[in-house]
């Protein structure tokens, strides 16, 4: 399985955990909610869905809405297929959510993981955020070193492009710092009474607690980094 298809499978399972959907609805949500899938097509989505069904993680059901039946009868075709997550699929998705290895820090994978942070345990969120920050700090150090070596040989436009790439990475590092501090603050606010209601609430995977109140909860677009 390619990394790209693995990210798509993860995103499909995550969206279907929220509610069953038609293929068209899934594609729309992937396009609008997860910008990393802007350019993908039905030709990519449906093989992915078939694979997930074959693995026992999804089941196919006929659309039950009256508009589905009417549209099908008028067109002389069967009703739209609705995809529903199975118990095995939910368990598999939860296993994927708990993963915090280096692949979760990469650009597209991190964006998909962040989109489902509301369903992710706080400790896992922290490890993914800190890993992503570490990866970007390494990238930023390499970019600075490269710029220092080549600055004299670059024309003004290439130099400006290099600076733009660095600024994009620096901006995301600042954003990650804010998220990490907010997560820590949310955890600290719930830590004094381990057996109290606040601590019990903190055990829910969807507790977001300390997200910044400004509009900083959307990952910067990795495509802004022009010097990967």
């Amino acid at each position: 399985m390619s990394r790209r298809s693995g990210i798509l499978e993860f995103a499909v399972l995550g969206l279907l955990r929220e509610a069953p959907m038609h293929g068209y609805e899934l594609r729309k949500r992937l396009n609008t909610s997860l910008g990393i899938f802007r350019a993908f097509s039905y030709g990519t989505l449906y093989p992915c869905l078939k694979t997930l069904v074959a693995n026992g993680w999804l089941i196919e059901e006929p659309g039950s809405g009256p508009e589905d039946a009417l549209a099908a009868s008028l067109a002389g075709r069967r009703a739209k297929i609705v995809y529903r997550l199975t118990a095995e699929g939910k368990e598999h998705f939860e296993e994927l959510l708990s993963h915090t290895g280096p692949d979760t820090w990469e650009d597209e994978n991190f964006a998909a993981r962040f989109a489902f942070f509301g369903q992710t345990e706080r400790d896992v969120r922290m490890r993914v955020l800190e890993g992503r920050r570490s990866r970007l700090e390494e990238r930023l150090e390499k970019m600075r070193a490269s710029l220092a070596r080549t600055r004299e040989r670059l024309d003004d436009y290439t130099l400006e492009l290099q600076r733009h790439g660095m600024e994009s990475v620096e901006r995301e590092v600042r954003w990650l710092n804010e998220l990490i501090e907010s997560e820590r603050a949310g955890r600290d606010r719930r830590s004094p009474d381990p057996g109290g209601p606040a601590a019990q609430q903190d055990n829910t995977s969807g507790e977001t607690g300390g997200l910044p109140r400004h509009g900083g909860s959307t990952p910067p677009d990795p495509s802004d980094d022009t010097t990967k």
Side-chain angles (χ1 to χ4, degrees), residues 3 7 96 98-111 113 127-136 138-139:
R3 185 173 67 178
I7 298 171
L96 295 176
S98 68
H99 180 57
T100 59
D103 59 306
T104 66
W105 311 338
E106 300 300 336
D107 294 339
E108 290 187 347
N109 210 330
F110 173 75
R113 287 299 301 267
R127 290 196 292 273
V128 173
L129 289 171
E130 290 173 342
R132 174 66 174 173
R133 180 176 63 180
S134 176
R135 176 59 49 84
L136 290 183
E138 293 174 2
R139 183 184 298 174

Side-chain angles (χ1 to χ4, degrees), residues 44-101:
T44 304
L45 176 60
Y46 281 102
C48 172
L49 290 170
K50 294 299 183 184
T51 298
L52 295 176
V53 169
N55 288 339
W57 297 330
L58 302 181
I59 57 174
E60 297 177 329
E61 300 176 338
S64 57
E67 67 280 2
D68 294 334
L70 177 61
S73 62
L74 291 175
R77 55 178 172 75
R78 66 176 185 171
K80 289 182 180 179
I81 295 297
V82 171
Y83 295 90
R84 183 185 299 274
L85 197 65
T86 64
E88 292 81 4
K90 182 179 179 181
E91 182 178 352
H92 178 63
F93 180 67
E94 289 172 351
E95 290 175 0
L96 295 176
L97 277 181
S98 68
H99 180 57
T100 59

Side-chain angles (χ1 to χ4, degrees), residues 124-228:
V124 174
R125 294 198 301 259
M126 283 291 291
R127 290 196 292 273
V128 173
L129 289 171
E130 290 173 342
R132 174 66 174 173
R133 180 176 63 180
S134 176
R135 176 59 49 84
L136 290 183
E137 287 174 340
E138 293 174 2
R139 183 184 298 174
L140 193 56
E141 183 177 348
K142 292 178 181 178
M143 293 169 72
R144 287 169 175 161
S146 175
L147 184 60
R149 289 194 306 268
T150 61
R151 181 188 299 270
E152 299 302 324
R153 301 195 300 271
L154 300 178
D155 62 61
D156 290 343
Y157 295 101
T158 305
L159 184 60
E160 193 60 32
L161 187 63
Q162 296 281 335
R163 287 173 176 162
H164 171 69
M166 288 178 55
E167 289 171 0
S168 298
V169 178
E170 289 168 345
R171 183 167 60 250
E172 186 171 349
V173 169
R174 290 193 298 270
W175 175 74
L176 289 166
N177 285 336
E178 291 179 0
L179 286 176
I180 290 168
E181 289 307 312
S182 295
E183 290 282 355
R184 287 174 178 163
R187 179 185 59 196
D188 292 344
R189 283 198 300 270
R190 292 167 176 78
S191 60
D193 182 5
Q200 295 172 12
Q201 182 185 25
D202 189 44
N203 286 332
T204 63
S205 63
E207 176 60 54
T208 54
L211 278 179
R213 294 197 177 274
H214 54 71
S217 59
T218 302
D221 189 341
S223 65
D224 281 346
D225 180 4
T226 56
T227 57
K228 295 175 191 173

